[in-house]
Amino acid sequence: MNLKYLSSTWSQIHPTWQTFLTNSCKELLEQIDKKLSELSITNTIYPPPEQILRILTIAPKNIKVVILGQDPYHGENEANGIAFAVNDGIKLPPSLRNIFKEISLEYDVSTITDSNLLNSWTQQGVFLLNTTLTVIKDRANSLADIGWQIISNQIIQHISDEMEHCVFILWGNFARSKKLLVNKSKHLILEAAHPSPLSAHRGFFGCNHFKLSNQFLIQHDIQQINWI
């Protein structure tokens, strides 16, 4: 793979993902790499280059739950390559605050022990994928049309095709539009409103997705996720 801007993040991802991306979307990824190189001359792009493909450090065989986001946070030092997560020291974003609130409601706990980085989730096989993987500083959805969504669709499809008994959590209309990529005969699809303050009270709170995910995993003899 002939990459310049993405070379540091490419070297970190799991070999299975390297092979998959090389075989399925080499030319497109190289085009995105060229575009990002050009844009970075006059723009600040998030997340940093070495973190753009960070979620792909998780081996496909270890994925249990897929949670889809839309694009990275566009504020300074917020995005880190994991959907919904933010770096330590950054103010808790409203959507992540509502995600923690829903977990607190489901499990009747007052606090969530995991950090805003959500490292404990990814280590357990929670695949938090933004369908667009980069953004220009202070410009939400600014890089939604450079090809990332084609690649993320292929990633979702690959997980659906190759894995067994995964949970796909789709919050909001954009994420829900991806359900056609998932084989519902072998995977569980959970849908609800987005956790954003604009919509959380219209079906996100009370969705029970974290408990439902674990119930499905247990039914298939898969170690459940410790969400708290």
Side-chain angles (χ1 to χ4, degrees):
M1 186 79 73
N2 183 21
L3 301 175
K4 179 181 177 182
Y5 190 83
L6 297 170
S7 60
S8 58
T9 189
W10 176 264
S11 65
Q12 299 177 50
I13 70 175
H14 193 274
T16 302
W17 285 122
Q18 289 185 353
T19 300
F20 171 73
L21 293 175
T22 300
N23 292 338
S24 65
C25 47
K26 179 177 182 290
E27 291 184 6
L28 178 56
L29 197 56
E30 289 175 345
Q31 290 172 14
I32 292 172
D33 181 80
K34 181 179 179 182
K35 182 68 173 177
L36 293 174
S37 294
E38 294 169 350
L39 287 170
S40 67
I41 296 172
T42 55
N43 298 275
T44 299
I45 296 173
Y46 294 134
E50 67 275 9
Q51 295 182 337
I52 291 171
L53 299 176
R54 182 175 163 220
I55 192 61
L56 299 183
T57 59
I58 302 176
K61 66 179 182 179
N62 293 335
I63 295 172
K64 301 176 184 178
V65 178
V66 178
I67 301 179
L68 296 183
Q70 190 163 352
D71 76 328
Y73 298 120
H74 53 81
E76 186 173 3
N77 296 326
E78 292 178 332
N80 57 28
I82 306 298
F84 294 104
V86 288
N87 292 316
D88 284 338
I90 298 296
K91 182 180 179 181
L92 192 66
S95 290
L96 185 55
R97 185 186 310 118
N98 285 339
I99 289 170
F100 285 165
K101 182 177 179 180
E102 170 61 21
I103 294 172
S104 297
L105 292 170
E106 291 185 26
Y107 288 95
D108 193 24
V109 295
S110 58
T111 58
I112 305 299
T113 56
D114 193 22
S115 76
N116 300 348
L117 289 164
L118 305 182
N119 284 339
S120 73
W121 291 9
T122 57
Q123 290 166 5
Q124 295 177 80
V126 181
F127 192 80
L128 294 133
L129 176 68
N130 279 318
T131 54
T132 295
L133 295 175
T134 53
V135 68
I136 294 174
K137 180 182 179 182
D138 298 330
R139 292 169 54 189
N141 289 317
S142 51
L143 299 179
D145 297 325
I146 67 170
W148 280 129
Q149 292 188 34
I150 297 172
I151 291 176
S152 60
N153 283 352
Q154 292 180 339
I155 290 171
I156 296 165
Q157 184 90 58
H158 180 71
I159 296 170
S160 174
D161 290 345
E162 299 300 322
M163 303 302 111
E164 299 287 338
H165 311 310
C166 292
V167 181
F168 288 79
I169 296 180
L170 313 178
W171 294 325
N173 291 335
F174 181 82
R176 294 171 80 170
S177 71
K178 305 296 183 180
K179 66 182 177 182
L180 296 178
L181 301 171
V182 180
N183 183 344
K184 63 181 180 181
S185 68
K186 63 175 180 174
H187 303 295
L188 175 65
I189 300 175
L190 297 174
E191 303 177 56
H194 195 276
S196 162
L198 298 174
S199 56
H201 290 281
R202 299 201 300 268
F204 175 74
F205 290 131
C207 67
N208 217 33
H209 281 180
F210 301 97
K211 278 193 170 182
L212 290 172
S213 296
N214 277 343
Q215 289 173 11
F216 180 82
L217 295 175
I218 291 170
Q219 288 170 3
H220 295 281
D221 298 318
I222 300 170
Q223 180 67 41
Q224 63 180 316
I225 305 297
N226 177 10
W227 297 107
I228 58 178

